[in-house]
mmCIF file of all heavy atoms in Angstrom:
data_model
loop_
_atom_site.group_PDB
_atom_site.id
_atom_site.type_symbol
_atom_site.label_atom_id
_atom_site.label_comp_id
_atom_site.label_asym_id
_atom_site.label_seq_id
_atom_site.Cartn_x
_atom_site.Cartn_y
_atom_site.Cartn_z
ATOM 1 N N GLN Z 337 -7.705 -2.636 1.379
ATOM 2 C CA GLN Z 337 -7.417 -1.401 0.649
ATOM 3 C C GLN Z 337 -8.424 -1.322 -0.551
ATOM 4 O O GLN Z 337 -8.312 -2.117 -1.448
ATOM 5 C CB GLN Z 337 -6.000 -1.416 0.139
ATOM 6 C CG GLN Z 337 -5.523 -0.131 -0.543
ATOM 7 C CD GLN Z 337 -4.045 -0.081 -0.770
ATOM 8 O OE1 GLN Z 337 -3.419 -1.137 -1.047
ATOM 9 N NE2 GLN Z 337 -3.432 1.063 -0.640
ATOM 10 N N TYR Z 357 -10.622 -8.820 17.607
ATOM 11 C CA TYR Z 357 -11.099 -7.456 17.512
ATOM 12 C C TYR Z 357 -11.363 -7.102 16.025
ATOM 13 O O TYR Z 357 -10.753 -7.661 15.139
ATOM 14 C CB TYR Z 357 -10.009 -6.481 18.070
ATOM 15 C CG TYR Z 357 -9.647 -6.773 19.484
ATOM 16 C CD1 TYR Z 357 -8.568 -7.562 19.820
ATOM 17 C CD2 TYR Z 357 -10.408 -6.269 20.548
ATOM 18 C CE1 TYR Z 357 -8.261 -7.861 21.144
ATOM 19 C CE2 TYR Z 357 -10.143 -6.552 21.847
ATOM 20 C CZ TYR Z 357 -9.028 -7.321 22.140
ATOM 21 O OH TYR Z 357 -8.728 -7.593 23.451
ATOM 22 N N TYR Z 393 -5.590 -8.052 2.560
ATOM 23 C CA TYR Z 393 -4.298 -8.574 2.911
ATOM 24 C C TYR Z 393 -4.322 -9.266 4.256
ATOM 25 O O TYR Z 393 -4.976 -8.733 5.202
ATOM 26 C CB TYR Z 393 -3.232 -7.454 3.000
ATOM 27 C CG TYR Z 393 -3.007 -6.633 1.763
ATOM 28 C CD1 TYR Z 393 -3.615 -5.393 1.586
ATOM 29 C CD2 TYR Z 393 -2.106 -7.125 0.760
ATOM 30 C CE1 TYR Z 393 -3.343 -4.655 0.458
ATOM 31 C CE2 TYR Z 393 -1.840 -6.348 -0.373
ATOM 32 C CZ TYR Z 393 -2.466 -5.108 -0.532
ATOM 33 O OH TYR Z 393 -2.239 -4.374 -1.639
ATOM 34 N N VAL Z 398 2.560 -7.268 14.329
ATOM 35 C CA VAL Z 398 2.440 -5.827 14.300
ATOM 36 C C VAL Z 398 2.498 -5.402 12.820
ATOM 37 O O VAL Z 398 3.173 -4.414 12.489
ATOM 38 C CB VAL Z 398 3.486 -5.162 15.170
ATOM 39 C CG1 VAL Z 398 4.912 -5.317 14.632
ATOM 40 C CG2 VAL Z 398 3.181 -3.668 15.316
ATOM 41 N N ARG Z 399 1.896 -6.155 11.955
ATOM 42 C CA ARG Z 399 1.824 -5.906 10.489
ATOM 43 C C ARG Z 399 3.233 -5.755 9.924
ATOM 44 O O ARG Z 399 3.508 -4.832 9.165
ATOM 45 C CB ARG Z 399 1.003 -4.645 10.222
ATOM 46 C CG ARG Z 399 -0.515 -4.868 10.208
ATOM 47 C CD ARG Z 399 -1.132 -5.137 11.525
ATOM 48 N NE ARG Z 399 -0.962 -3.989 12.406
ATOM 49 C CZ ARG Z 399 -0.926 -4.103 13.750
ATOM 50 N NH1 ARG Z 399 -1.062 -5.302 14.367
ATOM 51 N NH2 ARG Z 399 -0.733 -3.019 14.494
ATOM 52 N N GLY Z 403 0.852 -10.468 2.952
ATOM 53 C CA GLY Z 403 0.690 -11.242 1.751
ATOM 54 C C GLY Z 403 0.534 -10.342 0.548
ATOM 55 O O GLY Z 403 0.617 -9.127 0.630
ATOM 56 N N TYR O 311 5.309 2.436 6.480
ATOM 57 C CA TYR O 311 5.278 1.489 5.376
ATOM 58 C C TYR O 311 5.488 2.159 4.037
ATOM 59 O O TYR O 311 5.186 3.346 3.862
ATOM 60 C CB TYR O 311 3.881 0.770 5.313
ATOM 61 C CG TYR O 311 3.600 -0.060 6.519
ATOM 62 C CD1 TYR O 311 3.047 0.495 7.629
ATOM 63 C CD2 TYR O 311 3.906 -1.443 6.543
ATOM 64 C CE1 TYR O 311 2.772 -0.258 8.773
ATOM 65 C CE2 TYR O 311 3.668 -2.161 7.680
ATOM 66 C CZ TYR O 311 3.095 -1.583 8.798
ATOM 67 O OH TYR O 311 2.874 -2.363 9.883
ATOM 68 N N GLN O 313 4.578 1.483 -0.005
ATOM 69 C CA GLN O 313 3.785 0.683 -0.950
ATOM 70 C C GLN O 313 4.052 1.180 -2.354
ATOM 71 O O GLN O 313 3.655 2.255 -2.682
ATOM 72 C CB GLN O 313 2.319 0.694 -0.620
ATOM 73 C CG GLN O 313 1.468 -0.264 -1.497
ATOM 74 C CD GLN O 313 0.012 -0.255 -1.173
ATOM 75 O OE1 GLN O 313 -0.521 0.724 -0.731
ATOM 76 N NE2 GLN O 313 -0.587 -1.422 -1.314
ATOM 77 N N SER O 318 2.131 -5.098 -2.257
ATOM 78 C CA SER O 318 1.661 -4.944 -0.906
ATOM 79 C C SER O 318 2.563 -4.063 -0.107
ATOM 80 O O SER O 318 3.725 -3.819 -0.511
ATOM 81 C CB SER O 318 1.580 -6.365 -0.233
ATOM 82 O OG SER O 318 2.784 -6.976 -0.314
ATOM 83 N N HIS O 364 1.205 4.295 10.596
ATOM 84 C CA HIS O 364 0.255 3.337 11.166
ATOM 85 C C HIS O 364 0.424 3.291 12.639
ATOM 86 O O HIS O 364 1.565 3.185 13.098
ATOM 87 C CB HIS O 364 0.469 1.957 10.517
ATOM 88 C CG HIS O 364 -0.215 0.809 11.223
ATOM 89 N ND1 HIS O 364 -1.580 0.807 11.399
ATOM 90 C CD2 HIS O 364 0.243 -0.374 11.709
ATOM 91 C CE1 HIS O 364 -1.904 -0.330 12.023
ATOM 92 N NE2 HIS O 364 -0.841 -1.073 12.173
ATOM 93 N N SER O 366 -0.352 1.483 16.394
ATOM 94 C CA SER O 366 -0.767 0.255 17.061
ATOM 95 C C SER O 366 -0.993 0.487 18.557
ATOM 96 O O SER O 366 -0.891 -0.472 19.358
ATOM 97 C CB SER O 366 0.219 -0.857 16.837
ATOM 98 O OG SER O 366 1.480 -0.497 17.343
ATOM 99 N N LEU O 369 -6.946 0.205 19.698
ATOM 100 C CA LEU O 369 -7.863 -0.254 18.720
ATOM 101 C C LEU O 369 -8.988 0.752 18.477
ATOM 102 O O LEU O 369 -9.424 1.415 19.426
ATOM 103 C CB LEU O 369 -8.497 -1.577 19.178
ATOM 104 C CG LEU O 369 -7.491 -2.755 19.224
ATOM 105 C CD1 LEU O 369 -8.046 -3.911 20.045
ATOM 106 C CD2 LEU O 369 -7.156 -3.231 17.789
#
Side-chain angles (χ1 to χ4, degrees):
Chain Z
Q337 186 170 35
Y357 301 96
Y393 298 100
V398 68
R399 277 70 63 205
Chain O
Y311 295 86
Q313 186 178 31
S318 57
H364 168 56
S366 61
L369 293 163

